[in-house]
Amino acid sequence: MLKAVRGFKDVLPEDMPYWHLLGEEARSLFESYGYREIRIPVLEKLELFQRGIGSTTDIVEKEMYVFEDKGGELLALRPEATACIARAFIEHRLDLKHTTNKYYFFGPMFRHERPQAGRLRQFHQLNVEAFGVRSPSMDAEVMAMLYTLARKLHIEDAVSLEINHIGCAKCRPIYREILINYLAGQKDKLCKDCKRRLERNPLRILDCKNETCKEIALNAPRIMDHLCDECRRYFEETLDFLSVCDVPFVINPLIVRGLDYYTGTVFELTTTELGAQNAVAAGGRYDNLIEELGGPSVPGIGFAVGAERTVALMRKRMKLEEKKPTFFFAVLDAEAKRFIIPVVLSLREKKIRCEMEHEEKSLKSQMRKANKLGAKYTVMVGEDELKKGKVTVRNMKDKNQFEMEPSVENFLRLVEENP
Ligand code: ATP
Ligand code: MG
């Protein structure tokens, strides 16, 4: 049997109510904050991610789907969206075209990781990026928006907003040295990956999932104690604005994020309900990214919500079902079909879900089918009805049955009476 590729998953219709709710709530919320939708391609030049995400990050070092196309160009399936949206921002000179530059995006990402519960090779992210503003109230607003999304999806008590500040070009290098000094003393105990990270990307060790490394990280010097005055003030003001926005948060000095472009404010929305995968959403400030990609010197902040993990949490909190048909038309024969089809089409045009039997089946078996489908009403068009030019309508819940003229208005009245 042919199966989907490992780590790539179908989303079946019965799952869609959760995906739709997530998409609809996100869209209306983001738009109320002034974000506009952008769509970016699935493929980009490999160089974008090498330069944007950083060549010593897990994503670039080992998780990307890279290939050479027939023209010999090195391409990658996008592993994340921020670098792509930044590329679009630069390419279209959006900074010159718009007074505010706030964008959102929803789509699949691709990472060659070990597939397991909550970890796929194709997964979906909701992304939000705001370019051009650097201010503690902006950072708080972005996190407030993320938290509000969790509230709208009724998962706010399953998640916690963890926040940290990773310094600037002035204070981070000093902290980096202090951290290397501490970690070098424990080098033997670090995992293979972290031994490598020690020289190249020591902050990432704080984020390692290996148990021994986690313990070492817990006792490591904290960046909070080494922030310069400006960063400290920025961080304190951000926390203050978060309180003004009434957003609960915890400070977690171990949040450093696995992508190189982050500066200053970083945050994650975490959960304890999804086993080993505890990050539902993550983001932060990236004030140098646009410039590093060859654009103007424009700061930015954003986040990415993992859709599959969010849907998993939603499922634990609520039961959503697909919409059922309002009318099931049980038709005796071709003549009955000809009689009723125009009405069925008109009702569908009015967004009313109708099913009609196409195969030749007894009215009794059609009734059973209507029941199975969960239709509100079965509309019978049999011999008697055809003679009278009427239909018999059966309310499937109270089993009440009556005759009526099959006019669109009559059907619409039923919908109104029984929404
Ligand atoms: P993790 O620590 O779980 O590997 P990450 O730091 O690599 O996450 P980000 O790049 O920040 O993740 O992506 C943002 C969100 O996208 C994550 O919080 C998570 O919800 C989701 N995500 C990331 N990788 C995967 C994956 N392989 N499968 C499903 N969801 C994912
Ligand atoms: Mg990862």
Side-chain angles (χ1 to χ4, degrees):
M1 189 181 36
L2 275 173
K3 288 192 169 173
V5 178
R6 206 163 109 83
F8 288 66
K9 243 175 92 175
D10 302 307
V11 182
L12 297 175
E14 50 264 39
D15 299 321
M16 276 345 273
Y18 297 93
W19 287 79
H20 287 162
L21 185 66
L22 172 60
E24 285 155 18
E25 290 294 350
R27 175 186 297 265
S28 62
L29 179 71
F30 297 164
E31 292 192 351
S32 77
Y33 276 75
Y35 288 77
R36 296 152 68 223
E37 186 169 7
I38 187 170
R39 297 210 179 159
I40 47 171
V42 164
L43 275 180
E44 296 274 358
K45 290 181 183 150
L46 172 62
E47 191 194 345
L48 172 67
F49 301 114
Q50 287 171 332
R51 281 174 57 190
I53 303 174
S55 51
T56 66
T57 57
D58 280 358
I59 294 179
V60 172
E61 265 186 347
K62 40 188 194 195
E63 296 174 357
M64 270 203 298
Y65 279 92
V66 177
F67 66 96
E68 202 181 298
D69 77 352
K70 290 196 170 127
E73 196 162 27
L74 272 181
L75 303 174
L77 289 175
R78 61 172 182 230
E80 63 107 42
T82 303
C84 311
I85 298 171
R87 195 259 316 131
F89 174 79
I90 298 166
E91 185 173 336
H92 302 288
R93 294 305 324 251
L94 297 180
D95 55 322
L96 302 180
K97 286 195 191 132
H98 304 290
T99 36
T100 62
N101 278 288
K102 298 188 278 191
Y103 302 96
Y104 72 90
F105 169 73
F106 181 65
M109 304 297 154
F110 305 86
R111 296 186 195 175
H112 196 272
E113 306 193 67
R114 196 169 65 80
Q116 52 193 289
R119 198 170 283 288
L120 296 157
R121 289 180 168 174
Q122 173 176 331
F123 60 98
H124 295 74
Q125 282 186 345
L126 275 163
N127 276 266
V128 157
E129 317 290 347
F131 302 123
V133 181
R134 183 176 187 279
S135 160
S137 62
M138 181 69 191
D139 296 18
E141 184 183 285
V142 167
M143 287 182 272
M145 189 166 81
L146 175 59
Y147 182 73
T148 307
L149 179 63
R151 246 194 318 103
K152 296 243 173 207
L153 300 172
H154 308 291
I155 58 167
E156 79 274 20
D157 58 342
V159 295
S160 126
L161 177 68
E162 304 191 29
I163 165 169
N164 191 22
H165 190 106
I166 55 171
C168 64
K170 249 192 316 187
C171 54
R172 197 171 336 123
I174 300 170
Y175 170 69
R176 192 175 181 273
E177 286 311 308
I178 293 168
L179 184 65
I180 291 180
N181 258 333
Y182 163 80
L183 292 170
Q186 326 241 6
K187 188 170 175 182
D188 296 346
K189 289 187 266 170
L190 292 173
C191 76
K192 207 174 91 233
D193 281 340
C194 284
K195 282 199 179 91
R196 207 159 28 86
R197 287 176 186 139
L198 190 55
E199 294 304 325
R200 303 178 65 190
N201 203 345
L203 263 71
R204 281 284 285 132
I205 297 176
L206 301 179
D207 189 39
C208 183
K209 287 175 178 112
N210 175 291
E211 285 306 322
T212 318
C213 298
K214 267 193 195 164
E215 231 168 83
I216 294 173
L218 221 48
N219 297 313
R222 314 208 142 172
I223 184 133
M224 223 80 71
D225 303 324
H226 302 278
L227 291 178
C228 62
D229 287 347
E230 202 194 324
C231 284
R232 180 185 314 283
R233 215 172 318 117
Y234 194 102
F235 189 48
E236 278 164 7
E237 273 182 48
T238 304
L239 301 184
D240 183 49
F241 278 118
L242 271 178
S243 304
V244 171
C245 297
D246 205 18
V247 173
F249 63 87
V250 289
I251 298 172
N252 180 353
L254 296 182
I255 289 189
V256 289
R257 310 291 308 117
L259 302 90
D260 279 356
Y261 51 63
Y262 287 110
T263 51
T265 307
V266 289
F267 54 92
E268 285 185 5
L269 204 63
T270 59
T271 180
T272 52
E273 295 188 17
L274 295 178
Q277 310 318 327
N278 66 350
V280 182
R285 180 158 278 292
Y286 44 82
D287 289 341
N288 307 321
L289 175 66
I290 307 275
E291 196 169 9
E292 270 162 27
L293 290 177
S297 173
V298 169
I301 181 168
F303 62 74
V305 179
E308 281 80 1
R309 293 183 195 174
T310 306
V311 164
L313 288 180
M314 289 165 72
R315 269 181 187 295
K316 290 179 173 233
R317 292 285 180 294
M318 55 186 144
K319 186 153 174 48
L320 299 179
E321 281 180 16
E322 287 176 86
K323 284 214 181 72
K324 307 247 159 79
T326 306
F327 298 111
F328 184 94
F329 290 85
V331 286
L332 182 69
D333 54 15
E335 200 193 335
K337 285 183 192 170
R338 269 194 288 274
F339 174 65
I340 207 66
I341 281 175
V343 177
V344 176
L345 297 195
S346 302
L347 288 171
R348 285 175 176 156
E349 224 176 287
K350 300 216 176 286
K351 301 189 178 145
I352 292 162
R353 187 167 159 205
C354 300
E355 293 275 348
M356 188 190 78
E357 181 57 62
H358 286 282
E359 286 176 64
E360 266 181 42
K361 292 210 173 116
S362 70
L363 283 178
K364 208 166 159 197
S365 88
Q366 294 189 47
M367 190 74 90
R368 272 199 302 273
K369 186 166 169 185
N371 216 355
K372 256 195 181 159
L373 287 172
K376 257 187 201 160
Y377 296 99
T378 305
V379 182
M380 282 167 285
V381 192
E383 214 172 326
D384 257 12
E385 284 86 359
L386 277 178
K387 259 191 227 143
K388 295 190 213 161
K390 294 200 166 171
V391 293
T392 302
V393 179
R394 183 183 173 87
N395 182 325
M396 300 300 278
K397 205 161 155 203
D398 61 19
K399 314 279 188 258
N400 191 13
Q401 206 163 298
F402 52 92
E403 264 187 11
M404 73 175 202
E405 300 260 349
S407 68
V408 174
E409 292 71 34
N410 279 346
F411 283 110
L412 291 179
R413 189 155 347 104
L414 286 178
V415 175
E416 244 172 61
E417 283 166 10
N418 186 3

